[in-house]
Amino acid sequence: MCASPVDPVLDLLQRRPELLIVALHRLLGWELEQPARAEAVDVGDTQLYAYGHEWAADLAFALRRVGGPSTWLAIVAPQAREEQARAYLWPCYAALLGLRRGGPAGLLAIVGDEDVGWARQTIACGFGALTFTPLVVTRAALLALAEDGGWDMSVRT
């Protein structure tokens, strides 16, 4: 389920978590109170055991607003379409992270251009009454944003 541990996008986010805040703002249009920062947290907070396997998101972050509450974001970077993971595991990652960290949580999928529509599909999580929609950015857009380098550094880690 998880991306390769040497995935350059995941490595970039681990080394420069401030990129996550910039991506949420620039690529997804989030209006974030400033200053805000992203901090890596234990990915074990997304871990679950099912069908004889252990599953976990690729990364997890706390999004902190100075003087405000934190929110949580699980990150997945699938190398290929995985219907079962998207339909069953992704909502669990966000729910477990929120439960274990004590606050609102979501999931960001980092995918190739061809998989954006697939990853953004709303998932019915039980009798159609509860739904979950992942946030999605492309690998190329995230890498281009990192290469741009001219972002406002008042957004710090």
Side-chain angles (χ1 to χ4, degrees):
M1 164 54 213
C2 295
S4 164
V6 294
D7 185 312
V9 173
L10 297 177
D11 181 57
L12 177 64
L13 286 175
Q14 285 180 321
R15 287 184 293 108
R16 296 173 57 192
E18 70 275 8
L19 181 60
L20 184 58
I21 297 289
V22 176
L24 292 171
H25 177 69
R26 290 220 186 140
L27 301 178
L28 296 175
W30 282 27
E31 292 298 327
L32 298 168
E33 296 174 22
Q34 297 298 326
R37 64 183 184 202
E39 297 174 353
V41 297
D42 185 359
V43 75
D45 286 335
T46 68
Q47 191 171 28
L48 66 126
Y49 183 81
Y51 302 109
H53 297 331
E54 288 188 17
W55 306 94
D58 294 308
L59 295 173
F61 288 91
L63 306 178
R64 300 193 189 278
R65 294 182 186 103
V66 174
S70 294
T71 54
W72 313 95
L73 197 57
I75 310 288
V76 293
Q79 296 295 327
R81 290 186 183 195
E82 299 173 359
E83 293 295 335
Q84 184 172 358
R86 187 183 62 78
Y88 299 108
L89 298 175
W90 291 7
C92 289
Y93 295 156
L96 288 169
L97 186 59
L99 176 68
R100 292 173 177 158
R101 288 285 171 163
L107 181 129
L108 175 68
I110 303 169
V111 298
D113 290 341
E114 66 282 359
D115 287 331
V116 169
W118 165 80
R120 278 193 181 138
Q121 293 176 38
T122 296
I123 301 160
C125 298
F127 306 108
L130 177 63
T131 61
F132 174 82
T133 305
L135 303 169
V136 179
V137 297
T138 66
R139 289 171 176 278
L142 198 55
L143 291 171
L145 188 61
E147 288 173 7
D148 174 27
W151 4 294
D152 179 6
M153 289 309 291
S154 66
V155 179
R156 294 186 198 98
T157 57

